Amino acid sequence: MKINIRSFPFKLRYISLIVLILISVQFALGQQQVYRFHSGLIEVSGFTNSYNWKMKTDSVDCRSQLSIINGQLKSINSLSLTVPVNKLSSPNTYMDRIAHRTLKSYPFDKIYFHYVKSELLPWDDKDQYLVKASGNLTIAGITQAIKMDLIATVINDGIITFAGTHKLKLSTFQVTPKKTLMGTLKTSDEVTVNFVVGVKPFILPAVPKK
């Protein structure tokens, strides 16, 4: 069997290129970090034929996997957000109960958002990014695909915040706004969600030595 000596340099270059690509991929994956909820606020607002209403909560579960290289946000690999319906509250407890029933808190006690994909663009500050995100929002057991713009900010202490506003119609999720006070008080179908959610790197607790 003859061995083609001339093909060796080409094969070596080809193998070297494959090795370099594999190292690059491993390096990029090595920059991925799991982040968990640190602090934040979700605000849902709308209006009736008599007044505007607003409900808030800081009871949020947010989990994400991000790629940070040299202090810069390179990619969002996953992002999920969970909000307990009964934790949304306002000064008016009577209206809160109506809102919770309207959102079918039983049996659908949580609102979910699951990120699918996004485009990252530079924003005003070097540590800020415009995130043109797509994902699935689940309210009252009904899931709809949505798109929304977020502003991601990388803070020096490792915390990353996501802020945004999204308008939606409850009827899209088969939710019918309730009429109260003998039908004289009518609630709008359209609501606005404002949020600021901060996440920080999740570090597994140390296993105690035996």
Side-chain angles (χ1 to χ4, degrees), residues 49-94:
N49 55 336
S50 297
Y51 64 90
N52 297 336
W53 57 269
K54 185 181 295 182
M55 304 175 74
K56 302 178 181 180
T57 184
D58 59 2
S59 297
V60 183
D61 182 21
C62 184
R63 305 183 182 196
S64 62
Q65 190 175 49
L66 311 173
S67 291
I68 307 293
I69 300 177
N70 296 327
Q72 295 184 332
L73 178 61
K74 294 300 182 179
S75 67
I76 302 173
N77 306 300
S78 66
L79 177 66
S80 65
L81 197 70
T82 304
V83 180
V85 175
N86 287 332
K87 292 296 184 179
L88 288 166
S89 63
S90 70
N92 189 331
T93 56
Y94 170 71

Side-chain angles (χ1 to χ4, degrees), residues 85-86 100-101 103-112 140-141:
V85 175
N86 287 332
H100 297 161
R101 288 200 299 269
L103 293 171
K104 305 176 185 178
S105 60
Y106 180 82
F108 307 111
D109 61 337
K110 293 182 177 65
I111 296 171
Y112 301 97

Side-chain angles (χ1 to χ4, degrees), residues 19-32:
V19 171
L20 181 60
I21 291 173
L22 290 174
I23 292 174
S24 299
V25 170
Q26 289 178 349
F27 176 78
L29 292 175
Q31 302 303 310
Q32 292 183 12

Side-chain angles (χ1 to χ4, degrees), residues 137-168:
L137 179 64
T138 302
I139 299 176
I142 303 298
T143 302
Q144 298 286 348
I146 66 169
K147 294 182 179 180
M148 61 179 172
D149 291 346
L150 313 174
I151 299 298
T153 304
V154 180
I155 302 175
N156 290 334
D157 57 5
I159 296 172
I160 298 175
T161 62
F162 295 95
T165 297
H166 183 69
K167 292 186 177 182
L168 58 89

